[in-house]
Amino acid sequence: MSGLCKKLWGLSTSYGTACVLLICLFLLTLFGTLEQVEHGLYAVQKKYFESWVLVHELGGVPIPLPGGVLCMALLSWNLIAGGLIRIRKSSSTAGVIIVHVGILVLFAA
């Protein structure tokens, strides 16, 4: 495996990447909830949660954000690769593996 592939694998399966993606999902939820007042549920759902990328206006300043589809796809990959493939499998990590599988089932639903 080349050096670039190892770096990409390490980055895509890291705990830090999961934290950044969860923060992005928090921001999408926050901004989407606040924007529902002006634009309605379905328009906001399309803009924030059914898109790959979006631009949110905050005080007239455009803020580019990843969309809900992109965040969930990357987080699903992170959970599969980092939480199920990369983790050491033993009786002490069985609970962690069960939790990761449960979260993936929720994502699939």
Side-chain angles (χ1 to χ4, degrees), residues 11-12 14-28 66-68 70-79:
L11 179 66
S12 72
S14 73
Y15 181 71
T17 300
C19 290
V20 168
L21 290 169
L22 288 172
I23 290 170
C24 287
L25 285 172
F26 166 75
L27 290 174
L28 287 172
L70 180 61
C71 284
M72 292 301 287
L74 291 174
L75 190 58
S76 295
W77 167 253
N78 182 274
L79 281 170

Side-chain angles (χ1 to χ4, degrees), residues 11-80:
L11 179 66
S12 72
T13 61
S14 73
Y15 181 71
T17 300
C19 290
V20 168
L21 290 169
L22 288 172
I23 290 170
C24 287
L25 285 172
F26 166 75
L27 290 174
L28 287 172
T29 304
L30 176 69
F31 293 149
T33 302
L34 294 175
E35 195 164 317
Q36 282 180 18
V37 175
E38 298 172 9
H39 299 286
L41 173 66
Y42 296 110
V44 170
Q45 181 179 346
K46 284 250 184 243
K47 179 179 177 183
Y48 285 88
F49 305 111
E50 295 177 5
S51 64
W52 288 87
V53 292
L54 65 109
V55 176
H56 176 78
E57 295 278 335
L58 187 62
V61 177
I63 301 172
L65 291 172
V69 173
L70 180 61
C71 284
M72 292 301 287
L74 291 174
L75 190 58
S76 295
W77 167 253
N78 182 274
L79 281 170
I80 291 168

Side-chain angles (χ1 to χ4, degrees), residues 88-107:
R88 288 180 293 239
K89 287 143 183 92
S90 68
S91 60
S92 63
T93 60
V96 174
I97 294 170
I98 290 170
V99 169
H100 280 81
V101 169
I103 293 170
L104 286 169
V105 169
L106 285 173
F107 283 174

